[in-house]
């Protein structure tokens, strides 16, 4: 017998000591057939295949269009030397606000119903890449994921990164297509050969420039999801402790490292989980929790004398345009804060809601 963990709704509260419909396994932490995980220890009934796939395609398409518009506005605003607030600055603030709302909503605190609705709505914005709105398990199960040797939980984590890369590719292709159509329209006017050559060189530079700006926009848009995907490989929860309790002989789930939150039936750092945590989780954490932070800081610090340079501002102005020159590196501080808040949301199962709230407030 185990106590239902941390305000989850997976256990019945009528004294029957059973799992809610759709939940199964230890701590009622695994999803039953035809149900998919949307957050740790939270399952949702799968939609029919056609509807699920249609909604996911719609969500992905909306995300790609939104990111493409953001990249285009960022590219245009980076060329402005004025210190006035630009449209891309407002979009950036909105994205960061929604990210924090989603992170806050993932905490196992008994939020009022109206706040839970707001958290769910904010999660839908990043649903295509985070799996918060539509369960990726449902899509994987409906397409034969159970037939593969790779565990479903690992497939889900990998799909998050594949979705991020695919989104970037779609954004770049969409921008290139729009740029090509613009060139076709303008080419209706006659030009000399030298003008055409110069226009081709400029067009190539603009295309590469927008591709680089798209990288910055994508990292900022999906940063919490990318960090969470790596850290989640190390999120474990203790179920039994064979050294404590009046009936230690019944402590059947007493693995010393606990059990993986993403798959509550898998022992942590044993078998395939150890292989993926060391071979995939650590490189991802190093890349996004260390590499991105140091990269942004070094880029802005080493080029502190070039902040007013039009060539540098055209590509990196999105990172420092909102700050004074002496605090141009503050974007790295935002990334550190976001990484810390994401870490709290990943490992919050190890402490009580009151402590979660205090740690979260300290990170802010």
């Amino acid at each position: 017998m185990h106590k239902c963990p941390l305000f989850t709704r997976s256990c019945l509260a009528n004294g029957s000591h059973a799992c809610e419909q759709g939940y199964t396994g230890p701590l009622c932490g695994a999803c039953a057939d035809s149900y998919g995980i949307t957050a740790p220890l939270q399952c949702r009934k799968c939609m029919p295949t056609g509807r699920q796939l249609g909604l996911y395609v719609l969500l992905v398409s909306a995300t790609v269009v939104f990111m493409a518009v953001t990249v285009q506005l960022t590219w245009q605003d980076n060329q402005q030397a004025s210190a006035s607030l630009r449209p891309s600055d407002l979009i950036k603030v909105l994205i960061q606000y929604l990210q924090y709302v989603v992170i806050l909503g993932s905490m196992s605190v008994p939020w009022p119903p109206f706040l839970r609705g707001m958290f769910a709505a904010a999660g839908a914005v990043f649903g295509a890449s985070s799996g918060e709105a539509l369960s990726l398990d449902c899509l994987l199960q409906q397409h034969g994921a159970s037939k593969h040797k790779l565990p479903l939980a690992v497939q889900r984590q990998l799909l998050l990164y594949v979705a991020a890369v695919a989104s970037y590719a779609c954004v770049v292709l969409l921008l290139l297509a729009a740029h090509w159509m613009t060139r076709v329209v303008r080419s209706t006017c006659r030009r000399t050969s030298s003008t055409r050559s110069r226009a081709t060189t400029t067009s190539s530079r603009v295309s590469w420039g927008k591709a680089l700006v798209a990288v910055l926009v994508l990292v900022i848009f999906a940063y919490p999801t990318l960090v969470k995907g790596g850290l989640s490989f190390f999120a474990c929860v203790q179920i039994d402790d064979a050294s404590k309790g009046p009936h230690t002989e019944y402590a059947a789930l007493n693995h010393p490292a606990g059990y993986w939150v993403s798959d509550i039936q898998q022992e942590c750092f044993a078998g395939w989980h150890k292989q993926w945590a060391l071979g995939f989780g650590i490189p991802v954490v190093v890349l996004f929790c260390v590499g991105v932070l140091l990269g942004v800081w070094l880029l802005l610090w080493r080029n502190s004398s070039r902040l007013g340079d039009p060539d540098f501002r055209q590509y990196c102005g999105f990172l420092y345009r909102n700050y004074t020159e002496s605090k141009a590196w503050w974007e790295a501080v935002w990334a550190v804060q976001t990484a810390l808040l994401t870490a709290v949301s990943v490992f919050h199962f190890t402490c009580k809601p009151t402590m979660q709230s205090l740690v979260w407030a300290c990170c802010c």
Side-chain angles (χ1 to χ4, degrees):
M1 305 301 297
H2 305 283
K3 182 179 180 181
C4 198
L6 298 177
F7 295 101
T8 59
R9 305 180 187 178
S10 57
C11 307
L12 291 172
N14 57 7
S16 60
H17 306 298
C19 298
E20 284 277 10
Q21 184 177 3
Y23 294 87
T24 186
L27 300 183
C28 298
C31 297
D33 293 339
S34 301
Y35 284 78
I37 188 171
T38 56
L41 303 179
Q42 295 183 24
C43 301
R44 182 180 300 172
K45 186 173 179 59
C46 295
M47 301 179 185
T49 305
R51 185 188 305 173
Q52 174 94 2
L53 189 59
L55 286 175
Y56 195 79
V57 170
L58 181 63
L59 202 58
V60 170
S61 301
T63 301
V64 169
V65 172
F66 174 77
M67 290 178 57
V69 172
T70 303
V71 171
Q72 180 64 31
L73 291 175
T74 301
W75 175 259
Q76 295 174 355
D77 294 343
N78 281 349
Q79 301 177 48
Q80 304 295 325
S82 63
S84 59
L85 203 61
R86 310 298 301 177
S88 60
D89 299 327
L90 299 175
I91 293 176
K92 181 181 176 183
V93 172
L94 176 63
I95 290 175
Q96 292 175 346
Y97 168 75
L98 292 176
Q99 287 173 343
Y100 281 20
V101 169
V102 172
I103 294 173
L104 186 62
S106 66
M107 311 292 279
S108 56
V109 175
W111 301 109
F114 74 95
L115 282 180
R116 290 201 298 267
M118 183 181 70
F119 296 149
V125 177
F126 306 96
S129 58
S130 66
E132 298 287 345
L134 298 174
S135 174
L136 298 177
D137 286 6
C138 295
L139 290 176
L140 292 170
Q141 290 173 1
Q142 292 164 357
H143 291 81
S146 58
K147 299 179 181 179
H148 299 285
K149 295 182 179 180
L150 200 61
L152 181 62
V154 175
Q155 294 183 47
R156 182 199 316 133
Q157 301 295 79
L158 294 179
L159 186 57
L160 292 177
Y161 291 95
V162 172
V165 174
S167 298
Y168 171 76
C170 291
V171 168
V172 172
L173 290 175
L174 186 60
L175 291 171
L176 289 176
H179 187 66
W180 177 80
M181 291 179 63
T182 303
R183 287 186 58 197
V184 169
V185 172
R186 291 179 178 177
S187 65
T188 55
C189 300
R190 294 183 178 180
R191 300 189 181 96
T192 62
S193 58
S194 60
T195 304
R196 288 180 180 177
S197 177
R198 190 163 54 251
T200 301
T201 303
T202 302
S203 175
S204 176
R205 181 183 179 186
V206 170
S207 299
W208 280 107
K210 288 184 178 179
L212 293 175
V213 172
V215 172
L216 296 177
V217 172
L218 176 65
V219 170
I220 289 177
F221 182 85
Y223 187 67
T225 300
L226 299 175
V227 172
K228 185 177 182 179
L231 292 177
S232 61
F233 276 97
F234 306 96
C236 301
V237 59
Q238 193 78 27
I239 297 181
D240 282 340
D241 188 346
S243 62
K244 298 180 181 179
H247 301 288
T248 56
E249 67 273 17
Y250 297 110
L253 303 175
N254 57 5
H255 190 263
Y259 294 78
W260 192 25
V261 170
S262 297
D263 184 354
I264 205 68
Q265 302 182 88
Q266 170 60 36
E267 297 175 346
C268 273
F269 307 112
W272 57 262
H273 178 261
K274 180 179 180 180
Q275 299 171 4
W276 279 95
L278 298 180
F280 186 80
I282 289 180
V284 168
V285 171
V286 171
L287 175 62
F288 292 108
C289 292
V290 180
V292 170
L293 305 182
L294 288 179
V296 171
W297 181 76
L298 287 174
L299 175 67
L300 298 176
W301 179 68
R302 292 178 63 88
N303 292 277
S304 58
S305 61
R306 298 182 58 202
L307 300 180
D309 186 348
D311 288 336
F312 183 74
R313 186 181 65 244
Q314 193 171 48
Y315 300 106
C316 302
F318 189 55
L319 295 174
Y320 63 85
R321 199 170 54 240
N322 294 336
Y323 310 112
T324 61
E325 288 192 6
S326 61
K327 298 295 187 296
W329 44 267
W330 196 259
E331 193 70 16
V333 176
W334 167 82
V336 170
Q337 184 182 44
T338 303
L340 290 175
L341 294 175
T342 303
V344 174
S345 71
V346 171
F347 300 107
H348 70 272
F349 290 97
T350 60
C351 56
K352 296 182 179 180
T354 302
M355 185 58 65
Q356 295 174 35
S357 303
L358 289 175
V359 174
W360 206 88
C362 290
C363 292
C364 289

